[in-house]
Amino acid sequence: MNNVIEGSQYPTQEIEAIVRKTMNIGLGVMGVAELLVEAGLPYGSDGARVILGQSLSIIQSAAKEESMKLAEWRGTFPLYPGSVWEQINEPVRNAALTSIAPTGTLSTLLDVSGGIEPIFAVAFTRTTNEGHVLKYIHPKFVEIAKQEGFFTKELVEKIIERGSVLDVEEVPPKWKEVFRGAHEIHWRDHLLMQAGAQKHVHSGVSKTVNLPSSASIEDVMEIYAEAWRLGCKGVTVFRDGCRGEQVLTTTSGREKKGFYMSGRKVQGEWGNLLPIKLPDDAPARRFYVETPVGELQLTIVTDDEDKPVEVFGQVGHAGSDINADVEAICRMTSVALRSGTPLWYVVKQLMGIGGRSSIGFGGNRVRSLPDAIGQVMNKHFLGVENEQTVQSGDCHLDICPECGSAALVHESGCDHCQVCNYSKC
């Protein structure tokens, strides 16, 4: 590393002068979380801090010993006179020897955690620069589960769906604590690990305190204040969901206090799109609608913001051809809703579909089963969330090129927007 400093070229003379005067290097670590798993210690525990401190102390001592050997035949760094090193009479080649870098890309290549960070989550999705979404479950968890006899394929699927092991009964209590994800560790435990590491590191320690999206401004202020009190040189706070795009997201995609579809990432890419999985329990609303083929019993499952995520329907007795059609329509509607298709667009595709007969008159006219489903979602969900609802009848709604609303109708030979009054003519 010393040779790299001496042989490198620098963008400005000022940077080169500073680097060559101090000869700082940054020996560090990664994979600390995996080390703690091997030791069976929860991140942030007393035992974890002891192991981390001892490991970094050994690295720092060895680095200082080698740097002193270098100084014997290459000389001390130019700013050595008057430095702390001179005061303790330890001539070294490098002013600073150790640092904890993020090691994001390197740790990914080696399939270990970055720096001194905990496991982000037992299961998570990683978004690449190209926009690809990769599903991941920690290999150490799989290895331990097999060794201790509680591994099953169903368990893996459950953990991938939830992104956590804390509420999974099949996982023993000990391993629930060891495999806590970054969001499940109290922020003070994050800081205590960083402060313990800082005692044995010359330069800074890269450390992120992961917070749930419910964290307040006061929480963040307290974290920065406590980091200062503990002697940390710096700290990063990341509240989940604070950015529209983030590299790592848990597969659960929801806070424990509720189930929300807003802001969730759809997993997959073109040709391999996977609808978001739903929790075991979710609220639902039931509707009864008269259609040309009989009364439709419609159940619409929603998230905690009353947004439709799944649709079930039945007409008459189960097992009939009509019910097969109803099931197909409801399944595909559910897939669209859980794959990120806007509700207004789903409603637009369903409403207005007609068959050989209809029931009702005017605005209450129902032309078919899909028309009935579309009308229910339009009236009870889309109309609540948006003042503009998709209109039925003979007019065909398209996207307005001016305001982007689904309110462009073709009237009297001209396209006209009912929202912004845009007119093509």
Side-chain angles (χ1 to χ4, degrees):
M1 295 179 73
N2 187 84
N3 291 340
V4 170
I5 295 174
E6 295 182 348
S8 295
Q9 295 182 346
Y10 300 91
T12 67
Q13 293 181 351
E14 291 80 4
I15 293 176
E16 181 175 4
I18 291 297
V19 171
R20 294 191 184 281
K21 285 180 180 179
T22 58
M23 299 299 290
N24 289 339
I25 61 175
L27 282 174
V29 295
M30 57 182 160
V32 168
E34 284 70 27
L35 172 65
L36 298 179
V37 169
E38 291 284 357
L41 294 171
Y43 189 91
S45 63
D46 293 340
R49 292 196 292 273
V50 169
I51 284 186
L52 178 60
Q54 290 177 342
S55 300
L56 293 176
S57 178
I58 292 171
I59 292 172
Q60 191 176 60
S61 297
K64 183 178 70 173
E65 183 179 339
E66 291 301 315
S67 187
M68 293 178 72
K69 291 179 181 178
L70 274 175
E72 291 177 1
W73 62 287
R74 290 195 180 184
T76 59
F77 61 95
L79 292 182
Y80 175 78
S83 68
V84 174
W85 292 107
E86 185 185 47
Q87 294 174 15
I88 59 177
N89 194 29
E90 291 186 347
V92 292
R93 176 63 175 166
N94 315 95
L97 296 163
T98 52
S99 175
I100 305 297
T103 66
T105 302
L106 287 175
S107 61
T108 301
L109 290 174
L110 296 175
D111 200 18
V112 296
S113 58
I116 64 167
E117 299 290 359
I119 294 170
F120 177 77
V122 178
F124 60 83
T125 61
R126 179 183 293 274
T127 304
T128 67
N129 291 333
E130 295 78 21
H132 302 313
V133 179
L134 308 176
K135 296 175 69 174
Y136 174 92
I137 184 165
H138 204 286
K140 275 294 176 184
F141 176 83
V142 175
E143 178 184 326
I144 290 172
K146 289 181 177 179
Q147 288 176 353
E148 301 214 352
F150 61 90
F151 176 86
T152 63
K153 292 183 179 179
E154 292 75 16
L155 173 64
V156 171
E157 287 299 320
K158 185 183 294 186
I159 293 172
I160 289 177
E161 179 181 347
R162 301 182 183 184
S164 170
V165 298
L166 292 186
D167 57 350
V168 179
E169 296 179 358
E170 296 88 336
V171 180
K174 171 187 175 180
W175 297 114
K176 286 183 179 181
E177 292 300 317
V178 170
F179 282 99
R180 277 182 178 268
H183 294 82
E184 299 163 335
I185 298 170
H186 194 275
W187 59 262
R188 183 167 179 81
D189 290 327
H190 280 281
L191 293 182
L192 288 175
M193 287 290 284
Q194 180 178 352
Q198 189 67 73
K199 296 176 182 178
H200 307 284
V201 173
H202 294 140
S203 299
V205 175
S206 175
K207 181 76 183 76
T208 300
V209 176
N210 296 93
L211 297 176
S213 59
S214 58
S216 65
I217 294 175
E218 289 73 21
D219 292 332
V220 177
M221 290 179 62
E222 179 61 23
I223 290 170
Y224 280 120
E226 184 66 10
W228 175 78
R229 287 192 288 265
L230 289 172
C232 299
K233 293 186 176 181
V235 66
T236 299
V237 176
F238 191 93
R239 183 178 62 82
D240 193 37
C242 65
R243 295 179 57 187
E245 298 288 339
Q246 59 192 61
V247 176
L248 296 181
T249 55
T250 58
T251 54
S252 64
R254 60 185 175 96
E255 293 296 325
K256 294 180 180 179
K257 293 182 179 179
F259 165 53
Y260 303 96
M261 296 293 282
S262 299
R264 294 190 59 175
K265 300 242 181 253
V266 178
Q267 302 169 10
E269 57 187 45
W270 181 256
N272 189 28
L273 201 61
L274 301 177
I276 293 173
K277 291 186 176 181
L278 303 181
D280 295 334
D281 298 314
R285 296 167 66 181
R286 176 171 290 179
F287 305 91
Y288 296 89
V289 188
E290 288 295 334
T291 76
V293 294
E295 185 182 63
L296 170 65
Q297 300 177 27
L298 194 64
T299 301
I300 299 180
V301 180
T302 66
D303 66 2
D304 286 352
E305 292 178 322
D306 202 35
K307 294 181 179 179
V309 294
E310 194 165 32
V311 181
F312 299 94
Q314 182 174 333
V315 175
H317 298 289
S320 65
D321 291 339
I322 291 177
N323 265 319
D325 293 339
V326 172
E327 183 176 352
I329 296 168
C330 290
R331 283 193 183 191
M332 296 311 299
T333 300
S334 301
V335 167
L337 292 172
R338 289 161 48 206
S339 297
T341 305
L343 177 58
W344 67 263
Y345 193 81
V346 174
V347 171
K348 175 186 172 184
Q349 304 307 310
L350 295 172
M351 284 182 62
I353 295 178
R356 63 181 180 180
S357 61
S358 62
I359 187 171
F361 299 93
N364 295 322
R365 184 183 181 190
V366 177
R367 295 169 171 78
S368 63
L369 286 168
D371 183 46
I373 296 172
Q375 287 193 38
V376 169
M377 290 195 294
N378 179 54
K379 178 181 179 181
H380 296 279
F381 298 97
L382 189 59
V384 173
E385 109 184 323
N386 191 329
E387 292 181 0
Q388 273 68 45
T389 60
V390 179
Q391 297 184 8
S392 61
D394 297 329
C395 60
H396 177 74
L397 297 180
D398 281 317
I399 304 298
C400 174
E402 186 69 25
C403 68
S405 299
L408 193 68
V409 297
H410 189 77
E411 296 176 324
S412 303
C414 185
D415 291 338
H416 175 75
C417 180
Q418 297 178 322
V419 175
C420 68
N421 292 322
Y422 162 84
S423 179
K424 187 177 181 180
C425 301

